[in-house]
Amino acid sequence: MGNFRQKLRLAGCPELKINSRSPGTPGKGKLKRARKSEVNFLPDIPEGKTQRSLEEERTEMVTEMKKRKIDWQQIKEMMTSTFSLRRKQIVEDEPPVADVRARWPALFSERQIEAEFARLTSVDLKGSLFAGLDKYLLRFLEVFRARSGLVELNSLLSTLDNDSSNQRQRAVVLMGLPYYLKDVAKLYKKVQVTDAEEDWTKGMAVGILMVEQNNDRVCFAVVLEEEIIFPSLSDFPTAVALLMGLLFALNIDYPRGLRYTFEVIQKVLMDIGGGQCSALVHGLKNRLLRKKN
């Protein structure tokens, strides 16, 4: 097996080359491999293309994205063509989100985050999350209600007395996951329109802003590294879907304090890599599948 991997490395297999060390290199760096069950983690450069030609396409895209009227069909084709270059830069260099945004501005559009997620996983981003939510919706609410000692969870469930729509039930399930799983970090943060905008994202590495005005919800926004990526979103489930898409596209590890929440979203709701779960998530999945007596 070692000989086989060496031959693949010499033949230019990206995933092996990126983890190889030159003789005499001290220490052992972080292994760069698919951690979220991606099926197309580090693809080869397309036949007939070179790194230089792909870099030229990337530069063309940056120019196109500055135009008042963007040719989204051309962007779609070039984003597909440059996928291997983008993955190499993101996985190998691990640049800050702001740097990726400057080099790949098209990636930070909703349509391209959805497309990038599909390239990585062969799964529909929003479709898989919403289908998983609807599949387990009633069971999640039953399981949440059985955990009566959690004040935050009970407060969320009580909001369904005034609004029991499907969209609100989806939001309650997603908002309630960190409380139920006892994750130590917060998935979302409430701010007021009147608050200073520079304080909205302070201290937020990963999460969702809920912007309110006198207790009325105005919008949602996705935040990474204290920077708002997707502002003015209409609902919480869509914000969660786009946040998942960004974490996959930018190869960002799940925050330790929200580890179980994101594991449930990925492996239970989106059904990606669900064969291997932590004991806590496996137990929750069994409770969801068990019929109520």
Side-chain angles (χ1 to χ4, degrees):
M1 180 59 71
N3 289 339
F4 177 64
R5 289 174 65 84
Q6 177 67 11
K7 288 177 182 178
L8 287 176
R9 187 181 296 114
L10 292 173
C13 178
E15 199 161 338
L16 290 176
K17 282 184 70 177
I18 204 169
N19 287 307
S20 64
R21 288 191 297 125
S22 302
T25 303
K28 188 175 182 179
K30 179 182 175 184
L31 196 62
K32 296 176 181 179
R33 57 182 173 80
R35 297 178 183 275
K36 303 188 187 80
S37 302
E38 299 95 330
V39 296
N40 201 14
F41 179 68
L42 202 59
D44 293 320
I45 290 177
E47 190 173 345
K49 300 278 188 178
T50 64
Q51 189 162 329
R52 181 175 179 177
S53 67
L54 294 178
E55 182 61 29
E56 290 172 355
E57 282 191 60
R58 184 198 67 76
T59 304
E60 288 178 36
M61 273 196 292
V62 172
T63 302
E64 181 65 28
M65 289 296 295
K66 293 177 181 177
K67 294 180 180 178
R68 181 173 297 179
K69 189 174 181 180
I70 299 170
D71 186 341
W72 284 107
Q73 182 58 38
Q74 182 185 9
I75 290 292
K76 177 183 176 181
E77 292 169 0
M78 289 195 292
M79 284 292 285
T80 300
S81 175
T82 57
F83 178 54
S84 59
L85 176 66
R86 189 162 55 256
R87 290 304 296 170
K88 181 179 185 298
Q89 292 178 353
I90 288 172
V91 173
E92 186 173 347
D93 300 337
E94 299 181 354
V97 172
D99 290 358
V100 180
R101 198 173 189 176
R103 290 183 61 80
W104 301 95
L107 182 61
F108 292 81
S109 63
E110 282 193 45
R111 65 184 77 188
Q112 279 307 316
I113 276 295
E114 292 185 59
E116 193 84 343
F117 188 83
R119 294 181 195 110
L120 286 163
T121 65
S122 298
V123 171
D124 180 80
L125 176 60
K126 293 179 183 176
S128 62
L129 176 60
F130 298 163
L133 279 167
D134 292 342
K135 177 181 178 180
Y136 293 113
L137 203 53
L138 295 180
R139 280 297 293 142
F140 259 115
L141 295 176
E142 289 169 358
V143 169
F144 282 5
R145 288 188 175 105
R147 187 71 69 84
S148 57
L150 297 175
V151 176
E152 298 91 344
L153 200 54
N154 289 338
S155 178
L156 281 171
L157 290 168
S158 69
T159 64
L160 296 175
D161 296 338
N162 298 322
D163 179 5
S164 60
S165 64
N166 177 263
Q167 191 72 294
R168 182 57 192 168
Q169 290 183 28
R170 287 175 173 180
V172 166
V173 167
L174 292 169
M175 291 177 185
L177 279 175
Y179 301 119
Y180 181 85
L181 296 165
K182 296 184 178 179
D183 271 332
V184 296
K186 290 185 177 180
L187 178 61
Y188 60 92
K189 175 183 178 182
K190 292 183 180 180
V191 298
Q192 293 292 320
V193 172
T194 53
D195 295 340
E197 288 192 23
E198 59 267 24
D199 295 333
W200 284 10
T201 61
K202 189 175 292 183
M204 288 187 74
V206 172
I208 296 167
L209 277 181
M210 297 168 60
V211 185
E212 299 180 338
Q213 185 170 23
N214 299 325
N215 295 322
D216 291 329
R217 198 133 308 138
V218 176
C219 67
F220 300 88
V222 176
V223 176
L224 281 180
E225 296 179 2
E226 298 190 345
E227 183 177 357
I228 293 177
I229 306 298
F230 291 116
S232 305
L233 299 173
S234 61
D235 61 89
F236 192 80
T238 295
V240 171
L242 292 173
L243 177 58
M244 287 296 293
L246 284 166
L247 294 177
F248 271 75
L250 301 177
N251 198 39
I252 295 174
D253 291 338
Y254 296 145
R256 189 175 291 271
L258 286 168
R259 169 194 167 190
Y260 296 116
T261 295
F262 283 113
E263 186 181 353
V264 169
I265 293 171
Q266 177 195 321
K267 297 183 178 181
V268 178
L269 295 177
M270 303 179 85
D271 196 21
I272 299 173
Q276 294 181 330
C277 297
S278 64
L280 179 62
V281 173
H282 182 70
L284 173 59
K285 191 172 183 180
N286 284 341
R287 283 192 287 278
L288 293 172
L289 294 172
R290 194 182 306 139
K291 289 185 178 180
K292 187 179 181 183
N293 295 325

